[in-house]
Amino acid sequence: MRIATWNVNSLTARLPRVEEWLGYARPDVLCMQETKQADAAFPHGAFEALGYESAHHGDGRWNGVAILSRVGLADVATGLGSSDDDEGTRLIAADCGGVRVLSAYVPNGRALDDPHYPAKLAWLARLRDLLDETTSPDRPVAVCGDFNVAPEDRDVWDPGEFAGMTHVSPPERAALAALESWGLVDAFRQRYPDDRLFSWWDYRGGSFHRHRGMRIDLILVTEVLARNTTFALIDRQARKGEKPSDHTPVFIDTTVD
DNA sequence: ATGGTGGCCCGGCCA
């Protein structure tokens, strides 16, 4: 089972690239973030034509998350399940081929002294609570998405340039580690302990070609999936060419016992 | 230190 995640930075702008990628990568499940669409605008038909069921949670201009699946799509749930954090359309979950799949778009945080920064930490803490309330680390669970946190210094091109900035601060990394301590493994990092590969590059300043990126798009899986993971890839190809997203897809191949 | 680019939608906001 191939499970993928991709922050598409507007599905309206990116649909041709997403269709192209589905055509050659053929994931069984694709989690998308930042569709920037309302539910009524989501192109279910375009994905159905490629063999995918789809579920979307978005309210228009900002954020928006989706799950595509060609191995079943059931028990869809949206939001964090708490009144203060449901706004923002940043989470959707579904059962796909025996796996509880979550597509998450973690708040950016903006800056360490911005009110959005503690909100980001709270969002991550709330996500862990949601896992506790809705599933178990003994089951096949894949939490996929744009976490807006680089887990370690090797996940950024130059840690020195990030001093005092978001995505690398100790509280953010601690919040991510607390989420993982629920019973999740960073599937790409487990398979490639030493690789310094990135999933996002700023559009500005030729960052992609200068290898100035970060690995912030993650697939976090429970042990029953981690032990069966046979392959993991960050597909840099999708960051090239015409009208790319600033993120590129990440996927793993695993099986459900 | 600033601004660089791209998406929203058409003046800033957000990343």
Side-chain angles (χ1 to χ4, degrees):
Chain A
M1 185 169 170
R2 177 163 290 179
I3 302 172
T5 187
W6 192 4
N7 180 324
V8 297
N9 186 21
S10 170
L11 185 56
T12 307
R14 213 68 58 214
L15 184 58
R17 296 299 303 262
V18 175
E19 291 175 316
E20 172 194 39
W21 192 78
L22 290 171
Y24 73 78
R26 293 305 291 167
D28 294 290
V29 175
L30 172 61
C31 296
M32 290 187 285
Q33 301 85 38
E34 281 207 273
T35 63
K36 298 185 178 179
Q37 287 177 329
D39 287 338
F42 188 81
H44 293 280
F47 298 126
E48 186 178 1
L50 297 173
Y52 291 90
E53 296 178 88
S54 53
H56 179 255
H57 181 46
D59 58 14
R61 185 170 178 181
W62 307 115
N63 312 322
V65 285
I67 299 175
L68 311 184
S69 174
R70 57 192 182 107
V71 291
L73 187 68
D75 292 325
V76 173
T78 60
L80 277 171
S82 66
S83 56
D84 54 332
D85 281 326
D86 272 352
E87 290 182 53
T89 59
R90 293 175 178 274
L91 186 71
I92 188 167
D95 289 334
C96 306
V99 178
R100 189 62 178 169
V101 175
L102 288 81
S103 178
Y105 178 45
V106 177
N108 176 286
R110 300 191 186 182
L112 300 189
D113 61 355
D114 190 293
H116 290 86
Y117 177 78
K120 175 183 191 173
L121 301 180
W123 200 96
L124 282 164
R126 174 67 199 137
L127 179 55
R128 184 192 159 125
D129 291 344
L130 179 93
L131 291 172
D132 258 339
E133 293 161 11
T134 57
T135 186
S136 155
D138 299 327
R139 296 186 192 151
V141 179
V143 185
C144 309
D146 176 358
F147 286 80
N148 271 315
V149 179
E152 301 174 273
D153 278 352
R154 61 185 161 170
D155 295 312
V156 301
W157 82 86
D158 180 358
E161 291 212 21
F162 281 89
M165 299 178 71
T166 60
H167 294 62
V168 302
S169 72
E172 287 166 273
R173 287 176 166 171
L176 180 62
L179 176 66
E180 292 178 337
S181 74
W182 178 79
L184 297 167
V185 173
D186 180 339
F188 179 86
R189 183 51 77 205
Q190 176 183 244
R191 186 153 186 83
Y192 301 105
D194 301 319
D195 283 10
R196 296 192 68 246
L197 297 175
F198 308 133
S199 64
W200 170 88
W201 301 261
D202 200 305
Y203 284 121
R204 296 168 288 189
S207 296
F208 180 65
H209 299 286
R210 298 164 68 193
H211 306 292
R212 296 163 65 93
M214 290 196 281
R215 192 177 69 92
I216 55 177
D217 299 276
L218 310 176
I219 298 178
L220 306 180
V221 296
T222 48
E223 177 55 32
V224 291
L225 291 178
R227 67 169 178 242
N228 289 339
T229 298
T230 56
F231 187 64
L233 187 79
I234 299 177
D235 183 12
R236 294 181 77 256
Q237 196 65 26
R239 182 62 175 78
K240 305 175 184 175
E242 197 168 333
K243 285 180 75 71
S245 171
D246 46 353
H247 298 250
T248 209
V250 180
F251 68 79
I252 64 166
D253 291 340
T254 186
T255 53
V256 182
D257 288 327

